[in-house]
Structures are given as C-alpha cells and as structure tokens.
Amino acid sequence: MSTNHDDRVNKGRARLERQIARARRAMLAERLAAALWPVVTALMLGAAFWAFGGLSLVPPDGVLVVIVAFALLVGLVLWRGLRDVRWPDRAAAAARLDADLPGRPISALGDKMAIGAGDAGAQALWAAHLERMADAAAAARARRPDPQLARRDPWALRLSGAVVLGAAILFARAPAPVDLSVPLGGGGAPIAAGPSYEAWANPPAYTGRPTIYLNADSAPVLDLPTGTEVTVRVYGTEGGHILRESVSGGQTALAEVAEGILSASFTVTAAGEFSLSEGEQRLAGWQVTMIPDAPPEIALKGTPGRTVDGAMELGFNASDDYGVVRADATITLDLAAVDRRYGLRAAPEPREALVLDLPMPLSGGTEEVDEVLIENLAKHPWVGLPIVIDLRAEDAATQEGHATARDIELPGRRFFDPLARAILEQRRDLLWTRENAPLVDQMLRAITHAPEDIFDNTTAYMMTRMALRRLGYAAEDGLSLAEQEDIAELLWVAAVTVEDGSLGDARERLRRAQERLSDGLRNGATDEEIAELMDELRQAMQDFMQQLAQEALRNQNQMAEQQPMDPNQMLSPDQLQEMLDRIQELAESGQQEAAEALLEQLRQMLENMQMQITQGGQGQQGQQGQQTMQELQDTLRQQQDLADDSFQELQRQFNQQRQQGQQGQPGQNQPGQQGQGGNQPGQGLNPDELAQRQEALRRMLDQLQDQLPGPGTEGGAQARDLLDEAERQMGDARDNLDEGDLNSALDRQAEALDALREGIRGLNEEMSQQAQQNQGDAGQEAGEGFARDNRDPLGRPSGTRGNLRSDENLLPGEDVMRRARELFDEIRRRSGDQSRPEEELDYLRRLLDRF
C-alpha cells in the first residue's frame, strides 16, 4: 500500500515539474515581449520610412546622421528593455500554477506534519491528504504567455508600425541605394535618389469595376472597359520622362503639377498600349485590350393590350451589359395606314407625338428589364387608329438602342352601345380637325332629333345637347383649340354615361352587364374583352344576390307564410358559376349563338327567381334587431358620404389656393376678381354645415345604440365598444369641422368609419349565432333542401345575411400587382408635372422614395 502511494506521489510530482518548467518559459516569453515591443515597433517604422524613400528627403549630409541616430535609439531602447529581464525562478512559476488551482495544492505538498508524527492514524490521514493534493496538483496546466501589451501600449503604436510596414511591402517600390560614403562634413556629390512612378486605371462608375493600381509587378496586359481613365505620375524627377500611349486617340504628355511631380491622364477609347520611359530606357509598359460597351437593346413584347378600364398595356424587354438607365416610347400616327373615310377624309391637324416614360424595376439590377407600361390613353383622338411605336433605351454611357413597331392600333376603352359609339365617332372627327365642325354639328342634330327613341339616359342626352349648343356658338366666331377640347370632353362624358347607364341598383347593373355581354357577342369581341365582360357580369351577379338576400330579410314574415319553394327551381352558387363558365367557354370557342341562348336562359331564370326564408325563432325582438341593423348600415353610408363631402371641400380649398397663387403677384387685382369675401359661385360646402351633419349622425348613432338588445356574447360586447368608439370619433370630427381643420376631421371620420364597420360586423355575427340557436327544428317542417342546411334558396349559408365582408379573396394577386403598378405610374406622372404646387410635388417625391 505504501509503495503504491509513493509511486502515485512521485508521478504527480514529475507531472508538476513539467508544468512548472512550461510556466517558467511562458513567463520568460512575457518578459521578453514586454521588453522588446518598443524595439520591434521602431524597426518596423524605420523600415517603412526607408522603403517609401524617406531618406531621399534628407539632405545628403544628414543621411548618415539619421541612420546613426536611429541605431543609437534602437540600442538604448533594447538595453533598457533587457536590463530588467530575469529568468523566472521555480518558486514564482509554482506560485503562478498554484494560483490557478482551488485550494492551492502545490504549496500543500510542501507542508510538514506539525503534530502526531508517531501516531499511525495521523500518519495515514496525512498520507491521504497528500495523495489528494497530488491529484489536484496533477491537474495544473501552464497558461499561455500573456504579455498584456495593450496595457503597456495604450496608443497601439505597435499596430501602427505593422500597418505602415504592410503598406510599404504592398505598394512601395525598392528605393534607390543610398551612398553612405559622403563624409559628415559635406563637400561631396549629392546622394543619388532616382525617380519613382505610379499609375492607376479607374473604370467608369456605372461598370461597377474596381480601380486597378499599376506598378512594376502588375500584369502586362490589361482588360479595360471603354471610358476608363488612366493616370500616370512620376515623383522626384527633373524631366526627361516620356509617356507614350495609343489608347486615347490623341497625344498625351506629362505635365508638372507640383514641384518634382509630373502627371498625365487620358481616357481609354481603343485597344493599344501605353508606356513610361526615361530617355531611351523603358521603365514600364502595359498592353490594353478593350472590353466593349455594347449599346442597349429594346423590343416590344407582343401586341399592346388593354385593361378593364381601357388603359393600354405595353409590354417590352430591354437589356444592356451594364444596365439600362432610362427608356421611353414615342407614339405617332401612321397616317398612311389610316382609312381616310367620312370624318377622316380631311387633312388632320398636327398633334405632338406621345412620349411615355417606360417603367424601370423598383429594385434589383437593370441588365435585363421585363416590364409592362400601363397608360390610360382612352381619351386620345388616335384611339382605334393605326400608330407607330418607337421604343428607345439608353445606358449610362448615353448609348441608345431603338426598336420600331407598326401595324398597331392604339388601344382604348371598348364601347359596345351603338349610341355611345356614334357619339365617340363624332368626338373623334371633331378632334381630327376643326374643319369637321359643320359635319359634327349635323350628325349630333340627327342623333338628338328624337331622343325618346334613342336615349334611355336623360343626363347623356342633356350633355350631348350641351355639346351641340356650344359647338353652334363657337362656330360663329371660329372654333378655338380650347373650345374644341371642352366640347370633346362633353361628348366623352355623354358616351360614357350612355355606355355605363344608371348603375345605382343591383338589378340595373346586372341587366346592363348582360346587355353589354350580349352586344359583345354580336359584335365579335375578342377573348380578352369577353373575359372583362364576364368579370363585370359576375360582379353584378354577386351584387344582385346580395340585394335579393336583403329584400328577403326585410320580408321574412311574408315569405314564411307562402308555400315552400320547389327545390328544382332553386339555383345554387355552384350552378350559377357553372353557367357563367359555360357561357364564357362558348363565346371564346366561337359559338356565339349558343352563348347568347344560354345567356338569355340565365336572364330568365334570374327574373323568375324567388326568395324564401324559413321562419326563425327571433320573433319581435329579431325583427327589431334587423331594423336597427339596417339603420346602422344607413348611418354608415351617410358617414361615408359626409367623409366624401369633407374631402371634396378640402380639395376645393386646395385648388382655390393654387389658382390664387397663379393669378399674379400679391396686390394686383385681376379682371373680374372681387376679393376674398362673399359667397361666390362654386364656393363649396360650409364647414359649419358639415359639422352640423356630423353632430346629427353622432346623435343618430347614440339613439340606435339604445335600441340594441343587451350583448349575449363576448363578441357582442366588443362590437358595442366599437360603436362607442365610433361615436367618440364622430364627436372629435365635429369639433375639428367647427374649427375649420379639415385634415384632422378627415382622420377622425376615417377612424369612425372603421370602428362603425367593425361594430356592425360584430353585431351581425352575434345575431346570426342567436338565430341559429333559436331556429331549432322549426325549419325542418317549413321546407327541406336548403332550409334544412340553414341555407337560403340561393344555396348560401343564411348566417352570412347582412355581412359587410366576405372571406373570399375578391382581388386576385395579379390584379393587386397591376393596381400597384398603375398607382406607381400615376404618382410618377404627377411628380413630373412642374406646374403643380411645390408642396404637392414634395409629397409625391416622398411617396416615390417610400416605394
């Protein structure tokens, strides 16, 4: 046992001795580093000073003095650093190791027993103690050297020396040898210090290429883009250096830019070489090969199309090796291809070409551009006529690429109503040339001669007659350009009114959509136009279904007393969708008659459709709740109308200030100007009247809240809190209107509208849940089929009655991106109109920065 114990202790002591030796070496390295870092730093700075030719700046007589002084300085620092360096003793190394161990076991191994030397038990206990200390000491590990130079060198001079020496190694040329044979007293020849040179090539910024530094170690062949600027400099010379180059197309010579410094710069425009010589001795030279900068390319992508509202969709592709900077499209009338008949027989009045900026990507590079320009040119006189589109792309080097497209008609809004097309034809003839004014006058008189047989819309008829009267008045003194544009605008509004009709009622919208689709089928509309008309029909169908559902809710008692409806006469939404898809499929496949027959069948089915809602368990309380919900929705619509009127008043005030700013200098009365006071025609709405309307709506909302039953669910309580919030926002909007602060009033009205919508939605959900709970088994006897599934005769869940929102995505992703592009293009167009006020232009620029 004793032998094993002694062996373990001896092995532990041997390992400990090795770690003590390592610790002594580490401590010696720390002391040497602390003593020698000033010497090393001084040597690095001195070497960099010499490499950069610093000795050439010293007078010849002082070179040797500088060298000797530097050597003495290094020697003094070395002596002061090494004089205190001592070999670390064993005790210091052991103490350093012992300090890193818990309980200091190394010092414990050197302890002696104070008492109990003759006691066997005490001896055994002491032996076990030493054994544990030996095991603990065996875990000792010498630390790596840590000279803590950061504490000794707070200014980081050693790092500065390393940086300067690294720069000298990378960039400094080998300095000329220094002649140390000159006596200190002078009188000899000056020390020869040969000249040094440097050169660099800076490519154009748009290429994204880095600057190339040229020295003796540079590659002899350079690949440079066109337009690279090369600079050559020679230092410490008195002349005799020659620069030869054949890359700029001219002669470039070195010129003195400072004392002892020659410099020259030239732009690379062709392949060749440039070199630097001193007399007949060639110092450096480089061969240049060109990286050509190709001009951009641009092309039209397909045929220009049109959007639903008649805007032109012009797709294009553009590319450039370094990126396209800008692009535009110039549209001119292809007069040779125009069918010169009727109103187009006369020579047209000259019109400026349309120049449209083509959109660039909002982010990313422009080396490859694939974009679509959306521009609404529906009112332009060239709509429907052959045009020529010249595309132009430009890069950063002002190089241009061009492409021309012909045999294209300028797209615009498609009109299907024959009367609307007739009015637009007269508008086109009038804009073609003012010489057509008598012919247009005669045609408009014929169109409006018997309005009861032609015009279904009184507004459209009155606008057409107004345009006719203004045309007659202007013809007496000659039609001016301004009058020509005004009359054309009246005819445009009249045609749009005839085409769109009165769309205030869902039934009228559905009827109108069916008529437009029928006209399109008869007139050979394209697949894109058929798709647009089908989208319009689907939207009108959805609005019509919503109106039917609301009418059924208002008459649910009378509907409950009628006989149950035959399920065979009911149409589900899936069946309606199938019929619409079938109509579109037939139309796009060219089967126009079959599509028209199916469309007529759909129209008859919708006319014969009846609504039936089973008697619910709501009773009188449910009827009162439905009436209150209807009044809340009326309040919401009135609040929206009030917000629209407030916005129009704010816009009117802005336009008035803009016009006053354009009328002349302050203090100069314009003709017909009567000052600021008084009620003038078109002055707009009075903010006090708007405030009174806002207060009336607030009181109406307060009364409607008192009529609502108590909340039955947590969602109902939240809905009532939202109505309270809407009432508070209405009160704040009333106060802002009283103060004339329309901006703040609009913000409060918007918040009131949001809270009111959310509140109505929550109440709808609560009432639907209560109706489903109270319905029970009553609906099972009144009718099977849809009523049994809690659905209305249209096959929709009755729980969606009165909802203001649908979970269906009504705006697909493609339409979202198109609308975003339209908004961006419109903002950019307005920001380029310098006639707008500076405040508006600043706002538009901030919008573009955000995009």
Side-chain angles (χ1 to χ4, degrees):
M1 182 68 179
S2 176
T3 303
N4 294 335
H5 168 73
D6 294 340
D7 291 341
R8 292 182 60 186
V9 172
N10 292 334
K11 290 182 180 180
R13 291 182 183 277
R15 287 195 299 270
L16 180 61
E17 290 299 327
R18 289 195 296 271
Q19 294 300 323
I20 291 176
R22 292 182 60 185
R24 295 178 69 183
R25 291 193 295 270
M27 295 174 65
L28 179 62
E30 292 175 356
R31 295 178 182 180
L32 289 176
L36 296 180
W37 75 264
V39 178
V40 176
T41 301
L43 291 176
M44 290 189 295
L45 293 174
F49 181 78
W50 169 78
F52 280 116
L55 292 178
S56 62
L57 303 177
V58 181
D61 296 342
V63 174
L64 188 58
V65 176
V66 171
I67 295 176
V68 172
F70 180 75
L72 291 177
L73 176 64
V74 172
L76 177 62
V77 174
L78 180 63
W79 173 76
R80 292 192 61 182
L82 294 178
R83 67 178 181 178
D84 296 330
V85 176
R86 299 290 184 273
W87 178 260
D89 55 10
R90 182 184 182 283
R96 180 172 180 171
L97 289 176
D98 204 19
D100 295 338
L101 296 175
R104 295 185 175 271
I106 298 178
S107 60
L109 291 176
D111 295 343
K112 303 295 184 182
M113 290 185 61
I115 58 176
D119 187 1
Q123 288 287 349
L125 181 61
W126 181 254
H129 169 68
L130 292 180
E131 185 177 352
R132 286 195 299 269
M133 292 298 102
D135 293 339
R141 294 292 183 272
R143 286 180 291 175
R144 294 182 179 180
D146 184 14
Q148 298 182 357
L149 297 182
R151 181 176 57 83
R152 301 175 184 274
D153 181 19
W155 299 101
L157 297 178
R158 66 194 187 283
L159 301 180
S160 301
V163 172
V164 174
L165 180 60
I169 294 173
L170 293 176
F171 303 110
R173 299 177 63 248
V178 180
D179 188 4
L180 300 180
S181 61
V182 180
L184 295 178
I191 299 176
S196 62
Y197 71 90
E198 64 177 346
W200 58 89
N202 189 20
Y206 65 85
T207 63
R209 294 175 174 266
T211 300
I212 303 175
Y213 187 79
L214 306 175
N215 53 27
D217 299 329
S218 302
V221 180
L222 303 176
D223 294 331
L224 300 178
T226 303
T228 300
E229 184 178 2
V230 179
T231 301
V232 179
R233 286 187 181 177
V234 182
Y235 303 95
T237 179
E238 296 180 356
H241 289 79
I242 302 174
L243 175 65
R244 298 181 177 89
E245 58 91 5
S246 60
V247 295
S248 67
Q251 296 295 328
T252 305
L254 292 169
E256 186 173 9
V257 295
E259 185 177 357
I261 301 177
L262 302 178
S263 180
S265 297
F266 53 90
T267 301
V268 177
T269 59
E273 65 175 354
F274 64 94
S275 62
L276 179 65
S277 303
E278 183 179 7
E280 298 298 329
Q281 181 184 1
R282 181 184 173 97
L283 299 179
W286 293 272
Q287 188 76 24
V288 176
T289 59
M290 293 297 301
I291 301 178
D293 185 0
E297 298 180 356
I298 189 170
L300 194 66
K301 185 173 63 176
T303 304
R306 65 166 61 89
T307 62
V308 177
D309 58 352
M312 178 183 65
E313 289 184 333
L314 182 67
F316 69 96
N317 296 312
S319 61
D320 185 71
D321 43 8
Y322 295 113
V324 179
V325 175
R326 64 184 60 87
D328 56 52
T330 302
I331 300 177
T332 56
L333 179 65
D334 190 0
L335 189 58
V338 176
D339 186 6
R340 304 292 293 277
R341 295 188 299 170
Y342 307 115
L344 304 181
R345 190 187 307 275
E349 294 180 352
R351 285 189 178 272
E352 295 183 358
L354 289 172
V355 181
L356 307 175
D357 291 332
L358 298 179
M360 292 290 106
L362 301 180
S363 61
T366 58
E367 290 81 6
E368 295 289 340
V369 178
D370 187 357
E371 290 288 337
V372 177
L373 169 68
I374 299 179
E375 189 76 17
N376 197 333
L377 303 175
K379 294 184 179 181
H380 200 275
W382 294 344
V383 169
L385 298 178
I387 57 173
V388 178
I389 301 179
D390 293 319
L391 302 178
R392 184 185 69 91
E394 182 180 340
D395 61 7
T398 68
Q399 299 183 106
E400 295 183 354
H402 294 270
T404 302
R406 296 180 177 273
D407 299 330
I408 296 175
E409 290 186 358
L410 182 63
R413 177 173 176 176
R414 182 74 179 269
F415 288 81
F416 297 97
D417 191 284
L419 177 59
R421 291 201 300 268
I423 295 175
L424 285 178
E425 183 178 355
Q426 304 313 308
R427 174 182 179 271
R428 182 203 63 184
D429 295 347
L430 181 62
L431 292 175
W432 181 262
T433 176
R434 282 170 288 176
E435 296 178 4
N436 286 334
L439 176 62
V440 173
D441 181 274
Q442 185 179 6
M443 293 299 299
L444 290 180
R445 291 181 184 277
I447 292 174
T448 59
H449 175 66
E452 63 278 1
D453 299 330
I454 299 178
F455 285 89
D456 295 332
N457 191 292
T458 306
T459 303
Y461 169 73
M462 295 302 297
M463 288 185 176
T464 308
R465 291 295 299 179
M466 185 184 302
L468 180 60
R469 286 195 297 270
R470 294 189 60 177
L471 184 61
Y473 297 152
E476 297 177 358
D477 300 327
L479 189 64
S480 64
L481 288 175
E483 292 171 338
Q484 180 190 31
E485 294 294 335
D486 292 342
I487 296 173
E489 180 65 21
L490 278 175
L491 293 176
W492 171 266
V493 175
V496 172
T497 304
V498 171
E499 180 72 14
D500 293 341
S502 177
L503 302 182
D505 185 76
R507 289 188 178 89
E508 178 64 20
R509 284 199 299 270
L510 179 60
R511 184 192 64 80
R512 194 63 183 173
Q514 292 172 343
E515 289 181 358
R516 284 167 55 84
L517 178 58
S518 180
D519 291 340
L521 293 174
R522 288 193 298 268
N523 297 328
T526 63
D527 292 346
E528 292 78 8
E529 292 168 349
I530 292 295
E532 296 172 7
L533 293 174
M534 290 300 302
D535 291 340
E536 180 182 354
L537 179 59
R538 288 188 177 93
Q539 183 63 42
M541 183 86 66
Q542 182 179 1
D543 296 340
F544 178 68
M545 296 299 184
Q546 182 70 22
Q547 187 185 58
L548 286 179
Q550 293 177 357
E551 291 179 356
L553 288 176
R554 288 193 293 266
N555 303 318
Q556 57 182 347
N557 291 334
Q558 292 82 354
M559 297 299 298
E561 297 174 357
Q562 295 177 1
Q563 294 297 327
M565 186 175 179
D566 185 1
N568 296 326
Q569 298 178 0
M570 299 179 184
L571 282 177
S572 67
D574 293 338
Q575 292 173 332
L576 288 175
Q577 185 63 40
E578 290 177 3
M579 293 188 67
L580 292 176
D581 294 340
R582 181 59 178 166
I583 292 173
Q584 184 172 0
E585 180 181 351
L586 292 173
E588 293 177 351
S589 62
Q591 304 180 43
Q592 309 296 341
E593 295 182 359
E596 289 188 48
L598 189 57
L599 180 61
E600 178 63 21
Q601 181 181 355
L602 175 62
R603 184 187 63 81
Q604 294 177 1
M605 296 177 68
L606 291 175
E607 289 180 355
N608 296 330
M609 182 178 294
Q610 297 181 0
M611 293 291 298
Q612 178 177 359
I613 303 297
T614 56
Q615 178 69 31
Q618 298 179 8
Q620 184 64 26
Q621 182 179 359
Q623 296 178 7
Q624 181 180 359
Q626 289 292 338
Q627 182 179 1
T628 305
M629 290 299 300
Q630 184 65 36
E631 293 177 356
L632 281 173
Q633 294 175 9
D634 293 340
T635 304
L636 176 63
R637 286 191 292 269
Q638 294 180 31
Q639 180 63 51
Q640 181 65 60
D641 294 340
L642 178 59
D644 294 341
D645 292 342
S646 301
F647 178 77
Q648 292 177 3
E649 174 62 17
L650 178 63
Q651 191 175 31
R652 187 199 63 79
Q653 292 181 4
F654 176 79
N655 293 333
Q656 185 179 9
Q657 294 176 1
R658 174 183 175 186
Q659 293 174 359
Q660 291 176 357
Q662 295 177 352
Q663 286 178 356
Q665 298 296 330
Q668 296 179 356
N669 293 329
Q670 303 296 327
Q673 190 175 11
Q674 299 178 359
Q676 302 295 333
N679 293 326
Q680 301 176 3
Q683 186 175 1
L685 299 173
N686 190 341
D688 293 337
E689 297 178 358
L690 297 175
Q692 294 175 3
R693 290 172 57 187
Q694 185 65 78
E695 174 61 18
L697 286 176
R698 189 196 66 79
R699 293 180 180 177
M700 181 185 302
L701 179 59
D702 183 49
Q703 295 174 0
L704 291 175
Q705 285 183 270
D706 296 337
Q707 299 175 8
L708 289 173
T713 61
E714 182 179 354
Q718 294 177 356
R720 285 160 177 78
D721 292 339
L722 288 171
L723 295 180
D724 292 337
E725 176 64 22
E727 183 181 353
R728 286 193 295 271
Q729 295 296 339
M730 288 181 178
D732 294 340
R734 173 205 58 202
D735 297 338
N736 294 137
L737 291 172
D738 285 333
E739 298 170 0
D741 188 359
L742 291 175
N743 283 321
S744 300
L746 283 172
D747 293 338
R748 303 290 80 75
Q749 289 173 346
E751 294 175 2
L753 285 170
D754 292 339
L756 193 55
R757 288 192 186 97
E758 294 297 330
I760 294 176
R761 184 179 298 114
L763 292 176
N764 270 322
E765 294 175 356
E766 181 188 28
M767 295 178 64
S768 299
Q769 293 175 4
Q770 293 177 356
Q772 293 175 3
Q773 293 174 0
N774 297 331
Q775 186 173 0
D777 298 332
Q780 297 181 0
E781 300 177 357
E784 302 295 332
F786 295 105
R788 182 173 50 198
D789 296 331
N790 195 24
R791 293 175 177 268
D792 61 17
L794 297 178
R796 301 179 307 172
S798 60
T800 62
R801 297 176 299 181
N803 277 1
L804 300 179
R805 179 181 63 179
S806 171
D807 294 333
E808 181 185 0
N809 184 12
L810 301 181
L811 194 58
E814 182 179 357
D815 289 343
V816 172
M817 296 305 296
R818 177 184 60 79
R819 183 58 178 163
R821 172 61 66 187
E822 290 177 355
L823 291 175
F824 180 78
D825 292 342
E826 180 64 19
I827 293 173
R828 183 174 58 182
R829 184 188 66 79
R830 294 188 181 187
S831 65
D833 185 2
Q834 300 302 319
S835 63
R836 296 179 179 272
E838 186 61 31
E839 294 81 0
E840 182 180 356
L841 292 176
D842 180 66
Y843 173 68
L844 294 173
R845 295 188 191 103
R846 285 187 281 113
L847 285 179
L848 290 176
D849 293 341
R850 180 173 297 182
F851 277 118

